[in-house]
């Protein structure tokens, strides 16, 4: 029932109905979501049509480790309609050091079921559901009931399979992972329109392609506080994660040696890790000589494929990445979870440019650049439809 926390611990429980859509935001909700309204505006909290309103959004969150804790916290506090938390693993002692929805009493319990009660206390207006099945057992039409899917801390193969299933039913997809001091957020929104507001210029805005993935598709004007404000609708097109993972850097990042030196080796190491997972059938390399040799070989190959200078792939960084791989550090997961949740809220409200399409975070350097990784297409322009 809308307006309550609904727990469906059994597999196959009925899908939650979203919150009522016909009412305007109430005074109580304005008070509850004061912080979010100040950040994102009342429009993003108001009723929407079709499938993209924050208060009616039905979101699937896969995995419930530290990063997913942060994502769930931010989305529930923002006031989404419903959240389904899916995890087939149980709480272990390793989980206790980095997750704030569980404690020692939850050891041996399913991770999603253990966390959901505390998640619900953040905002009782959000309907919650627990699913304890293995995500790989889900058919493609399972994803069609959601407005958006977020998968966390999975290997590339399951991420690719989930991404493909989401594309099959036209559902936007995010992937994210943390490795100690490092992490990433990936977005595949398939095709996404959003609106940018700006003061109207004397020159007309041309409907045209701006980049390989972005085009201006519509404009209209409104008057606000005596000024002419132009509402520019832009369209971004995306690639699935399996293609992004093998795509080259855009030409602007390879146009000079200086720019090549600015590309973080984290991109190389993530690609090497995903290749290692495929070859070794393990999520994280061990400290064995064979694993270290294989990972170093793969990283060197990936770095060359990206056309990056050899000196930027230092042994010190390789060692640091391997020492951090698979671990969780709260400040890093807090940053990644906040960035992802904010992007989801912007996407649901169709405001601001979303992540396009790989955000890489290196907390040691305090940098989080975003790279658009797409296959190379002939420069024929982007059709405006």
């Amino acid at each position: 029932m809308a307006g309550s926390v609904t727990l469906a611990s059994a597999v196959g429980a009925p899908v939650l109905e979203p919150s009522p859509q016909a009412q305007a935001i109430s005074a109580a909700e304005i008070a509850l979501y004061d912080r979010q309204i100040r950040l994102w505006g009342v429009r993003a909290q108001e009723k929407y049509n079709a499938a993209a309103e924050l208060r009616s959004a039905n979101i699937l969150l896969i995995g419930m480790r530290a990063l997913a804790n942060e994502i769930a916290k931010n989305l529930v506090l923002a006031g989404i309609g419903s959240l389904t938390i899916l995890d087939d693993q149980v709480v272990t002692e390793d989980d206790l050091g980095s997750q704030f929805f569980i404690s020692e009493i939850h050891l041996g319990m399913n991770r999603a079921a253990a966390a959901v009660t505390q998640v619900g206390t953040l905002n009782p207006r959000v309907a919650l559901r627990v699913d304890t099945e293995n995500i790989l057992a889900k058919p493609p039409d399972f994803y069609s009931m959601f407005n958006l899917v977020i998968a966390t801390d999975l290997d590339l193969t399951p991420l690719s399979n989930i991404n493909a299933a989401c594309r099959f039913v036209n559902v936007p997809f995010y992937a994210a992972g943390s490795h100690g001091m490092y992490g990433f957020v990936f977005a595949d929104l398939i095709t996404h329109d959003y609106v940018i507001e700006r003061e109207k210029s004397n020159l007309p805005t041309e409907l045209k392609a701006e980049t390989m993935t972005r085009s201006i598709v519509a404009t209209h004007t409104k008057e606000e506080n005596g000024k002419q404000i132009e509402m520019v609708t832009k369209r971004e097109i995306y690639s699935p994660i399996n293609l992004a993972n093998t795509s080259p850097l855009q030409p602007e990042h390879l146009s000079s040696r200086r720019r090549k030196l600015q590309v973080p080796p984290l991109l190389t190491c993530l690609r090497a890790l995903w290749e290692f997972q495929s070859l070794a059938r393990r999520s994280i390399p061990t400290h064995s000589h064979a694993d270290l040799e294989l990972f170093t070989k793969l990283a060197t190959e990936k770095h060359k494929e990206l056309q990056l200078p050899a000196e930027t792939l230092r042994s010190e960084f390789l060692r640091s990445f391997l020492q951090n791989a698979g671990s969780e550090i709260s400040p890093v997961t807090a940053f990644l979870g906040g960035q992802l949740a904010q992007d989801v809220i912007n996407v649901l409200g169709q405001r601001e440019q979303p992540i396009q399409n790989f955000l890489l975070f290196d907390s040691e350097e305090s940098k989080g650049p975003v790279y658009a990784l797409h296959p190379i297409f002939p420069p024929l322009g982007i059709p405006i439809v």
Side-chain angles (χ1 to χ4, degrees):
M1 179 177 180
S4 64
V5 178
T6 304
L7 307 183
S9 58
V11 173
V15 180
L16 293 174
E17 293 297 326
S19 303
Q21 298 181 11
Q23 60 186 21
I25 190 167
S26 66
E29 287 172 313
I30 289 175
L32 179 64
Y33 302 130
D34 177 72
R35 181 172 68 92
Q36 289 78 16
I37 290 172
R38 291 174 185 271
L39 285 173
W40 302 304
V42 174
R43 183 186 181 280
Q45 302 264 343
E46 286 283 314
K47 173 187 174 292
Y48 67 93
N49 54 33
E53 282 260 349
L54 183 61
R55 293 171 63 231
S56 296
N58 185 17
I59 294 177
L60 172 64
L61 177 60
I62 303 167
M64 201 52 182
R65 299 180 69 207
L67 176 54
N69 279 205
E70 295 287 352
I71 296 168
K73 177 193 72 176
N74 285 292
L75 292 178
V76 168
L77 286 174
I80 61 172
S82 63
L83 179 68
T84 297
I85 304 171
L86 186 151
D87 196 319
D88 66 339
Q89 300 297 305
V90 299
V91 178
T92 66
E93 290 188 359
D94 289 341
D95 295 315
L96 301 180
S98 56
Q99 299 184 37
F100 45 78
F101 289 132
I102 59 173
S103 63
E104 289 183 355
I105 64 172
H106 297 114
L107 286 170
M109 289 180 59
N110 174 271
R111 279 200 298 227
V116 74
T117 300
Q118 289 301 312
V119 176
T121 63
L122 298 174
N123 187 350
R125 293 178 180 271
V126 178
L128 300 177
R129 177 179 181 240
V130 168
D131 192 326
T132 60
E133 277 193 347
N134 188 320
I135 188 61
L136 299 181
K138 300 294 187 181
D141 60 2
F142 166 74
Y143 301 95
S144 64
M145 68 181 76
F146 302 103
N147 301 118
L148 189 140
V149 171
I150 305 167
T152 63
D153 295 314
L154 293 175
D155 295 353
L156 181 62
T157 297
L159 288 177
S160 298
N161 291 339
I162 297 165
N163 192 177
C166 288
R167 277 191 156 249
F168 184 76
V169 293
N170 200 38
V171 172
F173 169 79
Y174 283 86
S178 67
H179 294 285
M181 302 293 286
Y182 313 106
F184 76 93
V185 175
F186 168 80
D188 177 12
L189 308 181
I190 308 172
T191 300
H192 177 69
D193 290 2
Y194 60 98
V195 177
I196 297 293
E197 295 187 25
R198 62 193 185 193
E199 191 168 343
K200 186 172 176 59
S201 168
N202 292 328
L203 299 175
T205 298
E206 184 180 353
L207 304 186
K208 64 176 183 178
E210 292 187 311
T211 69
M212 184 181 74
T213 63
R214 184 176 67 247
S215 55
I216 299 174
V217 296
T219 64
H220 73 275
T221 304
K222 67 176 183 179
E223 187 170 334
E224 188 175 276
N225 298 325
K227 295 183 178 179
Q228 291 293 307
I229 303 298
E230 186 176 39
M231 312 282 286
V232 181
T233 300
K234 297 188 177 186
R235 176 170 297 153
E236 288 277 4
I237 59 172
Y238 285 78
S239 298
I241 194 168
N242 62 327
L243 291 183
N245 182 50
T246 57
S247 295
L249 288 161
Q250 294 300 306
E252 59 263 30
H253 300 298
L254 302 174
S255 60
S256 69
R257 178 174 173 79
R258 178 181 62 84
R259 293 193 173 187
K260 289 181 180 181
L261 291 171
Q262 293 173 347
V263 177
L266 177 57
L267 176 58
T268 294
C269 286
L270 281 173
R271 290 188 170 188
L273 178 63
W274 286 337
E275 183 72 12
F276 176 90
Q277 291 167 351
S278 175
L279 294 173
R281 307 297 184 188
R282 290 193 300 279
S283 294
I284 303 298
T286 67
H287 295 297
S288 71
H289 176 75
D291 278 9
L292 296 178
E293 185 177 46
L294 175 58
F295 182 84
T296 302
K297 176 177 179 291
L298 293 172
T300 302
E301 291 173 354
K302 299 299 179 183
H303 209 64
K304 288 181 179 178
E305 289 174 5
L306 288 165
Q307 302 179 50
L308 297 175
E311 62 264 34
T312 62
L313 187 64
R314 305 184 313 275
S315 59
E316 295 83 2
F317 186 86
L318 287 173
R319 185 180 304 112
S320 177
F321 181 83
L322 288 171
Q323 290 171 343
N324 280 271
S327 63
E328 299 175 301
I329 297 178
S330 295
V332 176
T333 57
F335 173 84
L336 291 169
Q339 290 292 309
L340 193 155
Q342 181 173 332
D343 206 64
V344 167
I345 291 163
N346 287 339
V347 165
L348 293 173
Q350 293 187 292
R351 284 291 189 268
E352 307 301 329
Q353 181 173 338
I355 292 172
Q356 173 63 282
N357 53 355
F358 245 108
L359 182 152
L360 302 170
F361 182 56
D362 181 342
S363 64
E364 292 185 314
E365 297 289 336
S366 298
K367 293 180 180 179
V370 177
Y371 293 94
L373 301 174
H374 299 274
I376 296 297
F377 295 105
L380 300 177
I382 302 172
I384 298 175
V385 296

